[in-house]
Amino acid sequence: MLKILLNTSSLFLLLTALPLSAQEVTLAHETLNHKILTLNAEMKLAENSQLSDGVMLITHGTLAHNKMEVISTFQNLLADAGINTLAINLSLGINNRHGMYDCKVPHQHKHTDAIEEINAWLSWLQQQGAGNITLMGHSRGGNQTAWFSDSHPDQLIKAQILLAPATWSEKAEQDNYQTSYGKSLSTLLSDAQRAQPNTWMEHVDFIYCADSRVKADSFVDYYQANPKFNTPYLLKQTTIPTLVISGSEDKTVSDLPEMMTNVSNPLVQHIEIEGADHYFRDLYADEAVESIIEFLDNQE
């Protein structure tokens, strides 16, 4: 269910009147449990461009937001290259959320919520008359983007760009949790799976947030063993032209280049930017955008 909060004609006037300036847009989204949340996103149109010329929908990483440096940098560089972008802010269960997620706020969001929110924004763009739509995601957002594409093959997506997308293996997840928190993930996961979905788990270490309050079904959704958390797994059968960009100095998804060697799909390209870390800072972002432009030009 979508409720558009901006009149369509007003939106076009707003966005075309101020070239190269970012404007926040919102929509009302009904969640799977029938809660209405206001979602927000940052729209940036290139000079002398409009939505009908096409747009790239960008999803940020874990517990982050759409104005973090890596997202803002890519929006600006893409606008300079003539590409319109919509950088969405995942709600993480919070109405009209802005900024980083505060770990003091109880967690009742799910990794898979992003799939429905990407779909909501895609539908919104289509209602606004957007032309070719490309998807982009960074880190966990890259995995969620690929997961969306995998679960919505009927959607008309021109291509997807995955910046340092998340990788996963059950052993690595368990080892990382043990290293970070000195606790057994499998024990906590078993507890969460046995609990009623809406049960609150107290003093639980969750993602990057220590000593948190977390819904049992949220804990299960983020930590249950599922190969779809591993982005290269999703790309083996994708039918969407895909560019994966990794950084040689990325310590967050350091195994991404190795895992990509297992993807034998002619629609998937992988490039590694020498010297770039997980956030493609400074000139590494320029290099990434040059690769993106070349990739998209080849899809024409």
Side-chain angles (χ1 to χ4, degrees):
M1 173 182 175
L2 296 175
K3 296 181 180 179
I4 305 305
L5 300 185
L6 280 176
N7 175 272
T8 302
S9 59
S10 298
L11 175 69
F12 274 104
L13 288 172
L14 175 68
L15 294 175
T16 56
L18 297 171
L20 292 179
S21 65
Q23 299 290 333
E24 182 172 283
V25 293
T26 60
L27 64 82
H29 170 62
E30 184 174 357
T31 67
L32 294 177
N33 62 357
H34 306 297
K35 180 179 180 181
I36 302 296
L37 291 175
T38 296
L39 307 180
N40 63 74
E42 195 83 351
M43 175 75 79
K44 193 174 186 69
L45 292 185
E47 189 172 9
N48 300 320
S49 186
Q50 54 189 0
L51 280 177
S52 59
D53 296 322
V55 63
M56 183 179 293
L57 191 160
I58 305 175
T59 303
H60 60 74
T62 306
L63 302 183
H65 59 99
N66 62 349
K67 294 182 182 179
M68 62 187 299
E69 182 182 356
V70 62
I71 303 300
S72 295
T73 297
F74 273 86
Q75 273 203 289
N76 290 333
L77 291 174
L78 288 165
D80 290 343
I83 296 178
N84 303 319
T85 57
L86 179 75
I88 69 174
N89 225 21
L90 297 176
S91 72
L92 302 179
I94 297 174
N95 190 59
N96 202 23
R97 187 183 72 88
H98 291 82
M100 295 294 292
Y101 192 95
D102 184 352
C103 286
K104 296 178 183 178
V105 177
H107 298 268
Q108 50 186 334
H109 54 90
K110 299 177 179 179
H111 175 90
T112 51
D113 289 342
I115 284 80
E116 290 307 312
E117 293 189 14
I118 291 172
N119 192 47
W121 281 113
L122 182 62
S123 297
W124 181 85
L125 283 170
Q126 291 168 339
Q127 290 180 28
Q128 307 310 311
N132 287 331
I133 297 175
T134 302
L135 302 180
M136 175 189 281
H138 174 249
S139 196
R140 182 183 294 272
N143 173 261
Q144 290 163 324
T145 296
W147 198 324
F148 167 81
S149 300
D150 181 72
S151 57
H152 292 77
D154 56 326
Q155 289 286 9
L156 299 178
I157 302 299
K158 177 182 177 181
Q160 58 183 355
I161 315 295
L162 309 179
L163 299 173
T167 56
W168 176 91
S169 76
E170 187 172 10
K171 183 180 185 303
E173 185 82 346
Q174 292 175 345
D175 289 348
N176 288 339
Y177 196 92
Q178 183 69 43
T179 300
S180 298
Y181 298 116
K183 298 174 184 176
S184 168
L185 174 59
S186 59
T187 298
L188 286 166
L189 181 58
S190 294
D191 292 342
Q193 290 170 327
R194 287 195 300 268
Q196 292 296 316
N198 287 326
T199 300
W200 284 105
M201 301 173 68
E202 307 289 346
H203 306 294
V204 174
D205 302 315
F206 183 66
I207 314 177
Y208 299 143
C209 296
D211 193 23
S212 297
R213 191 167 191 249
V214 184
K215 282 280 183 72
D217 57 351
S218 294
F219 194 92
V220 171
D221 187 84
Y222 275 94
Y223 286 114
Q224 63 186 331
N226 188 335
K228 289 187 175 183
F229 284 120
N230 187 32
T231 306
Y233 169 85
L234 291 168
L235 298 181
K236 291 180 179 180
Q237 300 298 325
T238 188
T239 58
I240 296 176
T242 302
L243 176 63
V244 177
I245 304 177
S246 60
S248 66
E249 304 307 308
D250 190 340
K251 307 305 180 186
T252 304
V253 288
S254 58
D255 59 350
L256 176 60
E258 180 183 356
M259 286 196 170
M260 285 302 299
T261 62
N262 297 319
V263 179
S264 180
N265 184 335
L267 292 176
V268 178
Q269 299 179 36
H270 169 235
I271 64 168
E272 183 176 58
I273 297 181
E274 187 66 32
D277 65 7
H278 192 60
Y279 297 98
F280 301 92
R281 293 181 173 91
D282 303 322
L283 294 178
Y284 300 118
D286 293 87
E287 188 173 344
V289 169
E290 289 177 5
S291 298
I292 291 169
I293 301 305
E294 181 180 357
F295 170 75
L296 292 178
D297 285 345
N298 290 334
Q299 307 312 313
E300 298 296 341

